[in-house]
Amino acid sequence: MYKVGFITLGCKVNIYESNALKNELMANGLEVSDDLDNCDVYIINTCSVTNMADAKSRKMIHKAIKLNPKAVICVMGCYVQTNDESKNIDGVDILVGNGNKKEVVKQILFKLENPRSPKYINILDILNTTEYEPLGVTTYDHTRAFVKIEDGCENFCTYCIIPYARGPVRCKKSDDVINELKRITDQGYLEVVLAGIHTGRYLDGDTNLSKLIKRILIEVPKLKRLRLSSIEINEVDDDFIEIMRNNKVIANHLHLPLQSGSDLVLSKMERKYDTSFFLNKINKIREARPDISITTDIIVGFPYESDEEFSKSKDFISKVNFSKLHVFPYSKRKGTKAVLMPQVNDTLKKQRTLELIDLSKKLEHDYAMKFLNQKLDLIVEQKHDEGLMLGHTSNFLQVILPYDASKIGQLVNVEITEVIDDKIYGKIIEKM
């Protein structure tokens, strides 16, 4: 039996797509292994969101080649789609971009039977791709299952390469989403994350994201927790907020990318909101869910971010009072508008990045402390260290608990007992 090793980089959509291919490979009699030593096939599902992601993708490709120079090497995804240099990497046998990853399994099987066949390259004109690729997952690696409902982005923010990597918005049929969720919950999964490149743009006929969620809540009764991977603030409509107000199956957590707290910088990024709009929407959300966890992405050192604009951004972040920041120093991406803008020097970027990481640690700690001695629901996910296990609450607090094998994968009630630096400890209780 041939042994296949996966290296998956980047977002939840990549995780989902890799899972779909794992399922198909196993259905064709191949073994998928977490042990990367001595595999017959390596599949590297790449990311290209930043220059660092590109570099990591290249590093993982070379790592796979070095692990077994005789193995079939398949490279796919965003790095392939946006970097012509990927075609010239020695040792790669199969090269597939986005929108056609269903080709991967067929080409791997062919290459295993025909090892002397030439390199296979299949990279679509992604900007003119209109069909949603129906990859489906039947089994999942984790307690929390991901369901991809959408692909592509049409925002074309001035810093971002992803529209060029993923193409225009394409969506999974709502009936297919419902059927997949039913299969997942029939297998015993309690939490599902709806994932996409631009999830808030979901549309199937007249079914937008809010209507899809309403259908899920009615038609998938075994689902205990529904989470969104990310959504843009201008796509959180009143209908969605009302669903959150009235149904606790929706996780008490939203990831809402801000990118900057400076209106000048937001305009140069060509984001679709200003800080006033953002804050007003946050206030509406918190009126419906007062203790909700709101996390965000921040880009540091974007062109036109002077000391004054950075100070405004930092003040606004504190004003919103996020529960966590994902901080990224701005990375120039060839082919985007921001490359031609005046750049902030790297020293300032590093300094500002560290400042916001420190702020994030404070925000995380302060948010966690609100729940000290409070009782929350939690899905136990995995064993942690010796004698410990961990899981996440609805509001996405990662809690460490005393180990009990019978509770893995279960929805339990916990009391938060300690918050020490960035670690949260709790104990299981019988009743809320």
Side-chain angles (χ1 to χ4, degrees), residues 77 87 106-107 115 137 154 176 185 190 219 286 308 369:
K87 298 175 184 176
K106 181 169 67 176
Q107 293 305 320
V137 178
E154 297 166 20
D176 292 341
T185 54
L190 302 179
E219 298 180 39
R286 285 188 170 138
E308 182 183 357
M369 285 298 292

Side-chain angles (χ1 to χ4, degrees), residues 236-276:
V236 180
D237 58 21
D238 290 345
D239 201 12
F240 180 82
I241 293 172
E242 283 307 301
I243 297 170
M244 290 192 72
R245 185 194 306 276
N246 297 317
N247 197 303
K248 298 305 180 186
V249 171
I250 306 295
N252 202 25
H253 166 242
L254 287 175
H255 186 77
L256 302 168
L258 172 63
Q259 307 302 7
S260 175
S262 155
D263 285 331
L264 172 64
V265 173
L266 286 173
S267 69
K268 298 298 183 182
M269 290 177 167
E270 295 186 13
R271 299 292 286 169
K272 307 297 189 282
Y273 52 83
D274 59 16
T275 54
S276 176

Side-chain angles (χ1 to χ4, degrees), residues 300-301 305 307 310 314 327 329 344-358:
V300 177
E305 188 187 71
D307 288 342
F310 175 70
K314 190 174 176 182
V327 184
V344 174
N345 74 63
D346 288 343
T347 302
L348 273 178
K349 281 186 200 175
K350 289 177 183 176
Q351 177 187 319
R352 292 172 185 173
T353 298
L354 291 173
E355 279 190 49
L356 289 193
I357 289 172
D358 285 344

Side-chain angles (χ1 to χ4, degrees), residues 352-380:
R352 292 172 185 173
T353 298
L354 291 173
E355 279 190 49
L356 289 193
I357 289 172
D358 285 344
L359 176 57
S360 181
K361 288 176 182 176
K362 181 182 183 303
L363 292 170
E364 287 179 69
H365 186 268
D366 289 351
Y367 182 74
M369 285 298 292
K370 290 180 182 179
F371 300 93
L372 188 62
N373 302 319
Q374 299 295 309
K375 298 171 179 62
L376 300 168
D377 66 278
L378 173 143
I379 295 176
V380 183

Side-chain angles (χ1 to χ4, degrees), residues 270-333:
E270 295 186 13
R271 299 292 286 169
K272 307 297 189 282
Y273 52 83
D274 59 16
T275 54
S276 176
F277 179 93
F278 196 99
L279 186 59
N280 286 338
K281 191 61 67 85
I282 292 290
N283 289 337
K284 279 189 175 183
I285 294 166
R286 285 188 170 138
E287 190 272 326
R289 290 276 188 98
D291 60 351
I292 190 170
S293 169
I294 297 177
T295 56
T296 197
D297 297 330
I298 299 291
I299 295 173
V300 177
F302 188 79
Y304 297 97
E305 188 187 71
S306 63
D307 288 342
E308 182 183 357
E309 297 306 320
F310 175 70
S311 181
K312 288 179 184 177
S313 186
K314 190 174 176 182
D315 288 347
F316 183 74
I317 290 165
S318 296
K319 186 175 183 180
V320 173
N321 197 24
F322 294 102
S323 52
K324 185 174 183 176
L325 313 177
H326 297 268
V327 184
F328 304 92
Y330 168 67
S331 174
K332 287 199 297 184
R333 307 298 287 139

Side-chain angles (χ1 to χ4, degrees), residues 47-273:
C47 178
S48 190
V49 69
T50 63
N51 289 331
M52 191 177 294
D54 277 352
K56 190 169 184 180
S57 294
R58 289 190 294 269
K59 182 180 179 181
M60 292 299 105
I61 294 165
H62 291 298
K63 176 183 177 180
I65 294 168
K66 191 175 290 187
L67 281 167
N68 184 2
K70 295 181 180 179
V72 174
I73 305 294
C74 172
V75 182
M76 63 182 187
C78 292
Y79 172 72
V80 174
Q81 192 70 48
T82 57
N83 290 272
D84 282 341
E85 67 188 39
S86 63
K87 298 175 184 176
N88 302 318
I89 299 176
D90 290 337
V92 174
D93 300 291
I94 299 166
L95 206 66
V96 176
N98 286 321
N100 56 345
K101 290 179 178 175
K102 60 184 179 293
E103 291 293 313
V104 166
V105 173
K106 181 169 67 176
Q107 293 305 320
I108 285 171
L109 295 172
F110 180 80
K111 188 69 179 179
L112 288 169
E113 294 300 317
N114 302 275
R116 295 183 181 276
S117 60
K119 179 185 288 190
Y120 176 82
I121 299 176
N122 190 331
I123 302 172
L124 297 179
D125 175 6
I126 199 70
L127 290 176
N128 290 308
T129 300
T130 57
E131 296 297 317
Y132 179 85
E133 184 180 19
L135 293 173
V137 178
T138 54
T139 60
Y140 297 83
D141 294 341
H142 303 95
T143 309
R144 184 186 301 115
F146 299 109
V147 172
K148 178 184 171 187
I149 64 170
E150 179 273 343
D151 205 341
C153 179
E154 297 166 20
N155 268 3
F156 290 97
C157 300
T158 60
Y159 54 82
C160 188
I161 198 70
I162 295 305
Y164 304 96
R166 284 285 179 172
V169 170
R170 293 99 66 203
C171 300
K172 182 180 287 184
K173 296 291 183 185
S174 55
D175 286 347
D176 292 341
V177 175
I178 298 296
N179 289 334
E180 188 167 351
L181 282 162
K182 286 179 178 177
R183 287 197 302 273
I184 290 167
T185 54
D186 284 345
Q187 292 177 46
Y189 289 93
L190 302 179
E191 177 175 333
V192 173
V193 181
L194 299 183
I197 302 301
H198 192 168
T199 314
R201 284 288 306 278
Y202 180 85
L203 191 64
D204 173 34
D206 65 351
T207 302
N208 62 11
L209 182 62
S210 293
K211 289 180 180 177
L212 175 67
I213 290 171
K214 284 181 181 177
R215 276 196 65 187
I216 291 169
L217 295 173
I218 293 168
E219 298 180 39
V220 192
K222 292 181 182 178
L223 185 64
K224 299 301 181 186
R225 189 183 291 165
L226 184 66
R227 198 180 294 277
L228 295 180
S229 59
S230 179
I231 186 170
E232 296 288 346
I233 192 76
N234 51 309
E235 287 152 6
V236 180
D237 58 21
D238 290 345
D239 201 12
F240 180 82
I241 293 172
E242 283 307 301
I243 297 170
M244 290 192 72
R245 185 194 306 276
N246 297 317
N247 197 303
K248 298 305 180 186
V249 171
I250 306 295
N252 202 25
H253 166 242
L254 287 175
H255 186 77
L256 302 168
L258 172 63
Q259 307 302 7
S260 175
S262 155
D263 285 331
L264 172 64
V265 173
L266 286 173
S267 69
K268 298 298 183 182
M269 290 177 167
E270 295 186 13
R271 299 292 286 169
K272 307 297 189 282
Y273 52 83

